Amino acid sequence: TLGPHLLLWTCPRGRYAALAIAAVVIVVGIPLWWKTTETYRAWLPFSEISELDSLQLQLSVDIEVVFSRGTLTPEQQKKFPLSHVNEKEHQVDVSIPELLTSPSTEADLSLHMLSESSCGSVVVYVIPETAALLPEDVKVYVGQRRTALLRSPPFKSSWSLKEVLSNLDVEVEQVVSTMSFSHQDIVAALSDRVRMAKVTKESMADSMRAIKSSPGYEITFSLLNPDPRSHSLHWDIEGAVQSCIQPLLNKLAPIANFSVDSQILYYAVLGVNPRFDNSVSAYTLSADSLSHVINPVEARLGSNAASSNPVLNFLLYVPDSHHSPLFIRDHSKREVPSNAFHSPRWGGIMVYNVNEMYGPEAERPVDININMAKVMGVFLAQLRLMLGVQHTHPPTGFVLQSPGSAGLADWELDRLLWSRSVENIATASTTITSLAQLLDQIGNIVINDNIAQQVSSAVTSLQSAVAELEAGNLAFALQYSREAILASERAFFDPSLLHLLYFPDDQKFAIYIPLFLPMCVPIVLSLLKIVSEAKKRRADKQAKSD
Amino acid sequence: MAAHRCGLSVVCILIFSSLAHPSSCDTLEKANDNTATKRRISEVNTDGSVAGEDMNERQWQSTDVEVNRSDGTKNGETFAPAKDQFQEELVIRPLHSGDIYASFQFRTLWDTDFLQEGQKKVSHYRLFPKSLGQVLSKFSVQELHISFTQGFWRTMQWGQPFIPSPPGAELWVWFHDTVSDVDGNWKELTNVLSGIFCASLNFIDMTNTVQPSASFKPLGLGNATDHRFLRYATLPREIVCTENLTPWKKLLPCGSKAGLAVLMKSEKLFHSSFHSQAVHIRPICQDEQCTSKAWELRQTLNVVFDHYTSGQGKKEWSLFKMFSRTLTEACPLASSSKVYVDITDNPEGELFELSPATPLLSQAVVLGDRRTYSVYDLTRAETFGQLRSFNLLLRWKGDSGDMLRPLLHAERYVAGFGLQTGEIHTVIYNNHPYRAFPVLLMDSVPWYLQLYIHTLTVTSKSRDNKPSYIHYQPAKDRHRPHLLEMLIQLPPHSMTEVTVQFERALLKWTEYTPDPNHGFYVGSSVVSALVPSMVAMSTNFTQDQPLFSSFVPVKEESSYFVRVYTEPLLVNLPTPDFSMPYNVICLTCTVVAVGYGSFYNLLTRTFQVDEPSPPLAKRLANFIRRIRGVPLLA
């Protein structure tokens, strides 16, 4: 006799039933399971992100070249397509007699008044070779604003305007690389993304010294008084900040928000014991030991509790009476005249000696007023370094007007804006591409709608920033690049990305196996059996037909 | 961030447009920038780079700045009168149980026009800690009180503390009435404070925050009454240790380098039966007329040393024995630096002897009692003697007398059995022999204890005592706790019992703490009262009042303000078996698999009727026939 299980495959009904169940499990069950257990992943613009990956930046600068009277022949002038340029020429001519007497800021100012240049653009005034406006050996004069005076090389009167311009190309390019950006600046701004291979040490030092681009900065001035028993110090930081630092920060307002505060720290000591030098009867700190100086102080500086922006620290250290005077020596064992040093992206320290003020009979603690002009001069210079207002090395024959009361010339600001825009774009696109890569690699991460929205807004801001750079609209480019950075960072650091990240696969299988194993084994076995039977039947048929 | 590097090509195309055309980009600065003020600060000529050296090794660079060398510094110029002030004080009170109560108070006054609207971006700090100042201005805080306490203050043995605090962490904040999103500010503030104090204040959320309507009034200026701007939360489970003390010490202008804070050695401070550190910030008047206002930061640290039990019953103490340090100087920034020792019980020196002795005595009315203190002024050199070190020593001669029983005292416990229901008992004692006075009782109970408010009973002297004011805010599951505030009149020399029943809720399995069988804490009840005073309280405001007696403003002579915290409760909740989810999954899967298996069998297998087998006799016959070789039967 045959048991029921042996009878199974003799009857076609059982076969069909097994096939139907397998079909139901595959067609309904698996999609249902897949759908109910899948993580929510909103759509991301992956193709656009991968386009960003190979970022092509095109920077364009509007350059206006204005020829003053006497530089062009009348025939050349006639070929000018636009007439209002001539008007401007004329005005330049009118103002020149004044300039001859005082070739300084007034000339620059009046030139600036003539053409209100927008940010990022450069105006080059070409003056005749023989003009007495500039000293003999000066080829180019760069003003406080976005203007430069260029002594024209001799033109042949037979040249067309095009030839004249092409003749000027080299000089104009030099002017632009001084006033807007040079190749090195751009490479330094992109240092996060590209290998630094051909970059010179100097531009790398510049890029390392400047603090990274951020929507805001906290500037903290700290007065360190390690010995409150011997001297009680007074500093008029409020007035000093108002008169020295604030003009610069106002000027830099388009780049970031700055907040300034100050504090006095008592019993804050440096981490190194200075050595007494008999030759100068003073204590000295060598450059090698400077890196150990900060550590104990830094713990007391405190971070800003109320914001997460990067902090720039400027410390004024007044040595205690037993270690005074204190001087800093550089690597060549010379005394540093400013008695100050700075650390890239961190801030600076200035040592302020007060030993002359003790006096023989003075009663302790001695009241000491700190000369804020001296201190702020140093801190301002350090701040300019930290903010990346790079000191340019002008080509020979260039004269740069000093920035004046604002502490920053317009074209210096433009330089900063150029490099910041490029840096922001690079950072934001790096963030977005690495986020996309991460999300692509780890399928467990939930992508909520708000993250998708942030990512796409970052991508659109990036695209518009690139487009604005291409069109030469520097202000808009910077604004878009900042938006892109904000959106990309928000998406990258969103905590909802972490929710299911650590749900390991072995736990998943441990939960699924009690259900899947008993369900799948009969189905698989019966399917195998059906297949083997079908094979056997076909072999039988073949044998029969033979 | 996984840095993703890629090849990148920069195409810089400089478009040389030879023609002037108006650009569309907006200008960022005004064109008519007047450079009339050509005041140059100093000729700054910066060149930060030194050529020919390796960048990696040279992180620190000297700043080469050409400075204007004209040295304008002179002594005797007009100093800006900074009215910031710092005071420090230590009070030592020998307790009747033989323990020693040491209370440090540090007060920093920050003279600033904080009430002025339109905040400036620049903020300058001298003695006031910058981190707290920034918190105040960012979150528009009107008043902030935070305390961390390890151990429970035993009122019946020790009397009243100068500034009471409940076990664990307590935080209450009054926000400025200009704040629109109080809850958002509160959430952010707790997170920031948790960073500043290294504590788990970030666990404060809406489920343990309440807005008491009457119990917590502002202690400083400004009579805010709208309790929408008040937030109060306790974390009774918070463990206080060294990591909380270090940031607290950092807020002091002298740190722990000089002054009284030198004594704060954490291994001694935490080897005690009670430790509480607090920060109170509030706006106060600078002078009597209140012409100028200032922020006051009070940092208090209270310790009770149990030298009596741990020191073989000896009651002698000295500064060195308690703190393993002695004092050598006052903080040079402090305008006053004093040590007070309570000698009220020892008027003629018959009980104990203090050395070094001091001629300075001070009387103060503290908590309804006139106390006498020996004062040691650390700003004077003679305090330190020839050894230049000040080690206070107390020797007992006789046995101490009786302590004045605290007039107000409260305790609390959970009654009931099983894991379903229970009852919270709060007992408040009025020890005053003949005066009745009202007290405000505030209870904040987490939502997982579901209070049956109809079972609330208040009985004193076995008679029903009807509260004259009840403010009850029921809990919302997972959103807010219960808040119960009652104004109860306490009869003289009585015991008042407040009971309320509750049911324990079942939590979701992720809501349990990592050690659920430890139980769940319920914060202390707060009893606030104006207790009738035995002696007249001084209501006038003087600058040289000792700090310990000037914290709570005294409004009338006949009574003083006291806040008493009860014990926190530890309640067991029904705790599930936490492997349950996996068991459930396995069980359901097995059931499904069994059901599916039978169903599958039924569907795929066919059953045929088998031929009935021959009877046993026939089979036997056939067997025998097979052996014999005879044909079988059909």
Side-chain angles (χ1 to χ4, degrees):
Chain A
T1 58
L2 291 168
H5 59 283
L6 290 180
L7 284 168
L8 176 59
W9 306 111
T10 56
C11 159
R13 190 186 73 87
R15 203 156 50 219
Y16 292 144
L19 278 174
I21 286 173
V24 166
V25 165
I26 290 165
V27 175
V28 181
I30 289 177
L32 190 72
W33 165 73
W34 188 259
K35 203 77 204 156
T36 47
T37 57
E38 96 181 322
T39 51
Y40 181 73
R41 287 168 77 84
W43 179 83
L44 291 184
F46 279 110
S47 62
E48 286 164 53
I49 293 172
S50 61
E51 266 171 43
L52 285 178
D53 201 20
S54 56
L55 193 62
Q56 300 260 331
L57 281 182
Q58 198 175 41
L59 312 180
S60 51
V61 185
D62 280 340
I63 298 171
E64 223 175 288
V65 182
V66 180
F67 293 96
S68 64
R69 176 164 293 171
T71 44
L72 292 183
T73 58
E75 301 91 78
Q76 287 168 335
Q77 282 186 33
K78 270 176 205 154
K79 285 171 193 162
F80 257 93
L82 288 176
S83 58
H84 70 270
V85 178
N86 286 324
E87 281 166 36
K88 288 202 170 160
E89 258 182 14
H90 189 70
Q91 283 167 344
V92 171
D93 276 346
V94 166
S95 55
I96 276 180
E98 296 167 26
L99 304 184
L100 287 173
T101 53
S102 55
S104 65
T105 47
E106 282 110 62
D108 183 35
L109 184 65
S110 55
L111 286 176
H112 179 71
M113 303 281 275
L114 289 181
S115 67
E116 202 174 285
S117 54
S118 62
C119 70
S121 63
V122 171
V123 184
V124 181
Y125 291 94
V126 182
I127 57 171
E129 199 186 1
T130 50
L133 189 63
L134 297 177
E136 232 5 80
D137 53 338
V138 173
K139 216 165 58 174
V140 175
Y141 165 84
V142 178
Q144 267 189 32
R145 294 190 169 69
R146 301 188 173 92
T147 49
L149 292 182
L150 175 67
R151 191 189 291 276
S152 72
F155 299 131
K156 278 182 198 140
S157 54
S158 56
W159 284 355
S160 71
L161 186 64
K162 217 173 230 173
E163 283 169 315
V164 169
L165 283 176
S166 64
N167 203 37
L168 277 175
D169 258 4
V170 182
E171 279 84 8
V172 172
E173 204 167 335
Q174 270 186 335
V175 170
V176 167
S177 75
T178 309
M179 291 178 67
S180 294
F181 54 84
S182 58
H183 182 67
Q184 277 179 3
D185 294 340
I186 299 303
V187 173
L190 293 172
S191 58
D192 271 1
R193 284 179 62 108
V194 287
R195 262 280 156 238
M196 307 269 279
K198 295 178 290 183
V199 192
T200 63
K201 273 184 180 147
E202 208 165 284
S203 74
M204 192 160 105
D206 277 344
S207 76
M208 271 180 64
R209 199 185 300 122
I211 197 154
K212 282 273 124 192
S213 178
S214 149
Y217 299 99
E218 313 286 328
I219 299 172
T220 303
F221 294 97
S222 308
L223 171 62
L224 307 186
N225 184 355
D227 192 7
R229 267 195 300 167
S230 329
H231 39 243
S232 90
L233 303 170
H234 305 271
W235 67 343
D236 178 27
I237 183 73
E238 220 154 324
V241 164
Q242 210 55 46
S243 61
C244 306
I245 304 291
Q246 211 56 51
L248 176 67
L249 298 186
N250 291 343
K251 197 92 199 211
L252 288 169
I255 291 178
N257 302 321
F258 292 92
S259 76
V260 182
D261 46 34
S262 78
Q263 61 181 343
I264 303 181
L265 296 176
Y266 301 94
Y267 290 102
V269 287
L270 299 185
V272 179
N273 275 331
R275 217 174 301 149
F276 188 74
D277 193 336
N278 276 322
S279 58
V280 288
S281 72
Y283 288 86
T284 56
L285 273 178
S286 66
D288 308 322
S289 61
L290 291 181
S291 49
H292 308 292
V293 157
I294 295 304
N295 299 345
V297 182
E298 192 158 26
R300 292 203 48 202
L301 290 177
S303 53
N304 190 337
S307 85
S308 49
N309 290 330
V311 183
L312 284 174
N313 287 294
F314 295 99
L315 313 185
L316 182 66
Y317 180 75
V318 179
D320 50 328
S321 53
H322 304 295
H323 292 102
S324 168
L326 176 66
F327 295 110
I328 299 173
R329 291 190 165 175
D330 60 13
H331 284 274
S332 47
K333 300 281 173 220
R334 277 178 296 123
E335 269 178 24
V336 178
S338 63
N339 221 5
F341 57 97
H342 59 262
S343 174
R345 296 182 188 177
W346 183 86
I349 295 192
M350 181 181 176
V351 177
Y352 189 92
N353 289 312
V354 295
N355 53 313
E356 305 116 40
M357 277 151 246
Y358 285 147
E361 77 292 336
E363 170 193 353
R364 303 276 167 109
V366 188
D367 275 329
I368 291 166
N369 244 1
I370 287 170
N371 177 5
M372 289 313 282
K374 182 174 152 191
V375 172
M376 277 299 153
V378 175
F379 283 164
L380 193 64
Q382 289 179 336
L383 181 63
R384 280 168 60 93
L385 286 175
M386 302 293 150
L387 292 175
V389 187
Q390 288 157 15
H391 185 70
T392 47
H393 302 281
T396 47
F398 274 55
V399 168
L400 307 184
Q401 171 70 33
S402 72
S405 63
L408 195 69
D410 282 358
W411 58 268
E412 281 182 304
L413 180 68
D414 282 354
R415 271 182 81 90
L416 198 56
L417 291 176
W418 282 113
S419 63
R420 279 295 146 97
S421 316
V422 173
E423 190 186 333
N424 283 352
I425 289 172
T427 315
S429 65
T430 314
T431 313
I432 283 294
T433 43
S434 52
L435 175 66
Q437 207 184 14
L438 187 80
L439 292 179
D440 201 31
Q441 274 173 2
I442 307 178
N444 255 344
I445 299 180
V446 179
I447 309 176
N448 286 331
D449 283 334
N450 65 324
I451 291 178
Q453 199 194 332
Q454 298 282 8
V455 168
S456 37
S457 85
V459 168
T460 28
S461 305
L462 264 180
Q463 284 166 342
S464 20
V466 172
E468 295 292 348
L469 269 189
E470 206 167 322
N473 297 336
L474 185 53
F476 285 126
L478 182 74
Q479 195 188 331
Y480 283 127
S481 69
R482 278 172 71 176
E483 280 166 20
I485 263 202
L486 281 180
S488 63
E489 298 276 304
R490 237 178 285 144
F492 194 90
F493 292 107
D494 197 288
S496 74
L497 289 179
L498 297 174
H499 279 175
L500 284 179
L501 189 56
Y502 302 109
F503 206 84
D505 278 343
D506 50 348
Q507 285 194 12
K508 241 188 267 178
F509 288 122
I511 288 170
Y512 288 145
I513 276 180
L515 181 64
F516 277 17
L517 212 60
M519 283 188 88
C520 291
V521 166
I523 293 177
V524 171
L525 282 183
S526 53
L527 285 181
L528 284 177
K529 210 159 211 172
I530 288 172
V531 170
S532 66
E533 237 169 61
K535 263 189 197 158
K536 200 172 158 197
R537 244 205 323 268
R538 200 190 287 162
D540 282 354
K541 224 183 244 169
Q542 226 153 25
K544 236 181 236 169
S545 65
D546 290 343
Chain B
M1 192 189 299
H4 183 76
R5 298 184 188 283
C6 67
L8 181 136
S9 61
V10 188
V11 185
C12 299
I13 296 185
L14 310 179
I15 301 175
F16 294 87
S17 64
S18 60
L19 303 174
H21 55 85
S23 174
S24 60
C25 165
D26 59 338
T27 47
L28 287 169
E29 85 293 330
K30 292 186 200 95
N32 52 353
D33 194 359
N34 202 348
T35 45
T37 53
K38 277 182 215 142
R39 188 162 54 88
R40 246 185 281 152
I41 307 129
S42 60
E43 185 72 34
V44 179
N45 187 5
T46 318
D47 186 0
S49 56
V50 180
E53 272 175 281
D54 193 359
M55 268 309 300
N56 298 331
E57 282 182 7
R58 188 165 49 87
Q59 227 219 347
W60 287 95
Q61 299 161 0
S62 58
T63 310
D64 298 342
V65 180
E66 254 177 51
V67 224
N68 192 355
R69 277 274 159 184
S70 70
D71 212 305
T73 314
K74 277 188 192 87
N75 281 354
E77 275 182 35
T78 50
F79 296 126
K83 278 186 272 174
D84 286 13
Q85 205 188 54
F86 176 66
Q87 289 171 279
E88 54 179 5
E89 169 180 302
L90 164 65
V91 187
I92 300 173
R93 193 208 286 173
L95 297 173
H96 289 264
S97 57
D99 301 326
I100 303 141
Y101 174 35
S103 168
F104 294 87
Q105 281 212 24
F106 303 89
R107 183 166 89 148
T108 313
L109 283 182
W110 182 24
D111 174 34
T112 176
D113 45 353
F114 55 90
L115 290 176
Q116 152 193 322
E117 289 303 314
Q119 288 182 340
K120 288 182 290 175
K121 270 185 121 182
V122 185
S123 50
H124 303 283
Y125 302 91
R126 286 170 293 263
L127 294 175
F128 202 86
K130 183 172 79 111
S131 54
L132 285 182
Q134 280 170 337
V135 168
L136 292 184
S137 63
K138 170 149 193 211
F139 300 107
S140 313
V141 172
Q142 168 91 15
E143 208 167 285
L144 185 146
H145 302 268
I146 184 167
S147 73
F148 300 96
T149 308
Q150 185 73 31
F152 178 67
W153 182 268
R154 291 159 211 288
T155 315
M156 284 316 276
Q157 288 174 41
W158 297 339
Q160 293 286 356
F162 293 122
I163 296 178
S165 56
E170 183 198 42
L171 174 66
W172 56 285
V173 177
W174 276 94
F175 289 96
H176 227 273
D177 51 11
T178 50
V179 178
S180 52
D181 179 19
V182 181
D183 284 329
N185 268 20
W186 168 250
K187 182 83 205 130
E188 235 178 295
L189 174 69
T190 52
N191 280 304
V192 168
L193 288 178
S194 129
I196 291 179
F197 290 105
C198 250
S200 36
L201 295 173
N202 52 326
F203 284 101
I204 293 177
D205 52 13
M206 292 332 285
T207 64
N208 49 21
T209 304
V210 290
Q211 304 169 32
S213 65
S215 295
F216 289 89
K217 290 284 160 212
L219 292 173
L221 283 177
N223 38 5
T225 47
D226 193 348
H227 64 271
R228 279 182 302 145
F229 299 104
L230 169 66
R231 292 291 181 277
Y232 173 88
T234 53
L235 294 173
R237 216 187 163 160
E238 180 74 13
I239 310 283
V240 184
C241 202
T242 325
E243 75 266 21
N244 307 110
L245 182 67
T246 314
W248 185 90
K249 278 198 286 196
K250 246 163 72 173
L251 301 175
L252 296 169
C254 281
S256 49
K257 298 275 170 55
L260 291 174
V262 169
L263 299 178
M264 291 176 189
K265 238 181 139 181
S266 53
E267 64 259 43
K268 284 287 180 183
L269 289 185
F270 290 100
H271 191 83
S272 58
S273 42
F274 177 82
H275 171 97
S276 168
Q277 60 187 69
V279 169
H280 303 273
I281 304 174
R282 58 179 179 173
I284 60 154
C285 291
Q286 279 263 20
D287 47 16
E288 232 169 305
Q289 286 79 39
C290 217
T291 49
S292 59
K293 290 155 188 160
W295 282 108
E296 184 200 60
L297 163 69
R298 250 176 217 260
Q299 289 180 256
T300 64
L301 188 133
N302 296 304
V303 203
V304 175
F305 292 104
D306 52 349
H307 282 252
Y308 184 56
T309 43
S310 64
Q312 290 94 41
K314 278 185 199 150
K315 285 166 115 184
E316 268 92 17
W317 58 262
S318 67
L319 283 186
F320 187 77
K321 216 166 141 189
M322 282 195 285
F323 303 104
S324 71
R325 295 270 172 89
T326 58
L327 289 169
T328 52
E329 59 169 346
C331 172
L333 308 164
S335 60
S336 95
S337 174
K338 284 175 179 153
V339 176
Y340 292 86
V341 182
D342 192 335
I343 53 159
T344 316
D345 304 332
N346 186 35
E348 276 90 43
E350 72 272 10
L351 269 182
F352 54 77
E353 185 188 17
L354 265 177
S355 74
T358 174
L360 276 174
L361 287 183
S362 153
Q363 281 216 330
V365 181
V366 190
L367 298 164
D369 195 8
R370 192 180 302 279
R371 315 289 295 181
T372 313
Y373 294 92
S374 288
V375 187
Y376 298 88
D377 192 346
L378 300 184
T379 51
R380 302 208 300 200
E382 57 262 33
T383 310
F384 298 101
Q386 282 161 342
L387 291 170
R388 310 200 61 173
S389 115
F390 173 63
N391 183 20
L392 195 59
L393 200 105
L394 185 137
R395 247 182 237 104
W396 283 89
K397 287 182 188 163
D399 223 13
S400 56
D402 277 337
M403 181 186 69
L404 182 79
R405 285 183 78 190
L407 294 181
L408 179 67
H409 165 55
E411 54 193 39
R412 189 157 72 142
Y413 55 90
V414 179
F417 55 87
L419 283 176
Q420 200 191 352
T421 56
E423 198 169 34
I424 298 178
H425 288 249
T426 311
V427 190
I428 311 170
Y429 297 89
N430 174 6
N431 293 331
H432 202 286
Y434 52 86
R435 287 280 301 270
F437 56 87
V439 295
L440 258 172
L441 173 72
M442 191 203 94
D443 241 327
S444 160
V445 179
W447 61 268
Y448 40 79
L449 301 187
Q450 296 159 346
L451 291 186
Y452 293 149
I453 205 68
H454 69 277
T455 61
L456 176 74
T457 57
V458 183
T459 49
S460 10
K461 295 188 166 171
S462 61
R463 235 178 300 153
D464 200 30
N465 183 348
K466 202 165 181 292
S468 50
Y469 166 79
I470 294 187
H471 171 78
Y472 176 64
Q473 190 188 41
K476 277 186 196 159
D477 277 8
R478 296 176 180 86
H479 285 293
R480 68 170 192 217
H482 302 267
L483 171 69
L484 177 62
E485 277 186 291
M486 287 185 288
L487 186 68
I488 308 170
Q489 184 76 17
L490 301 183
H493 201 75
S494 69
M495 183 188 99
T496 305
E497 192 165 12
V498 180
T499 59
V500 62
Q501 289 179 6
F502 64 87
E503 189 179 303
R504 294 162 221 243
L506 268 175
L507 300 184
K508 289 180 181 163
W509 73 290
T510 46
E511 287 168 346
Y512 285 92
T513 50
D515 53 347
N517 291 308
H518 177 81
F520 287 75
Y521 283 89
V522 180
S524 310
S525 304
V526 188
V527 180
S528 326
L530 280 172
V531 178
S533 172
M534 299 292 193
V535 294
M537 302 293 292
S538 62
T539 51
N540 60 332
F541 174 90
T542 50
Q543 199 55 271
D544 12 275
Q545 239 177 327
L547 294 181
F548 60 86
S549 64
S550 65
F551 181 60
V552 183
V554 179
K555 298 241 167 60
E556 47 187 326
E557 281 189 358
S558 59
S559 59
Y560 62 96
F561 180 79
V562 166
R563 189 167 279 153
V564 175
Y565 291 93
T566 65
E567 301 89 339
L569 298 178
L570 185 56
V571 181
N572 269 313
L573 289 190
T575 315
D577 169 14
F578 287 102
S579 63
M580 180 183 68
Y582 186 66
N583 297 348
V584 168
I585 288 172
C586 286
L587 189 71
T588 358
C589 289
T590 316
V591 169
V592 168
V594 166
Y596 164 82
S598 355
F599 188 64
Y600 185 86
N601 265 347
L602 274 176
L603 284 179
T604 54
R605 294 182 185 183
T606 41
F607 295 95
Q608 285 182 347
V609 182
D610 207 358
E611 280 172 32
S613 60
L616 183 70
K618 202 173 183 180
R619 271 193 282 173
L620 264 181
N622 275 344
F623 181 69
I624 298 165
R625 276 167 174 258
R626 202 179 288 142
I627 294 168
R628 284 174 53 206
V630 197
L632 302 181
L633 286 174

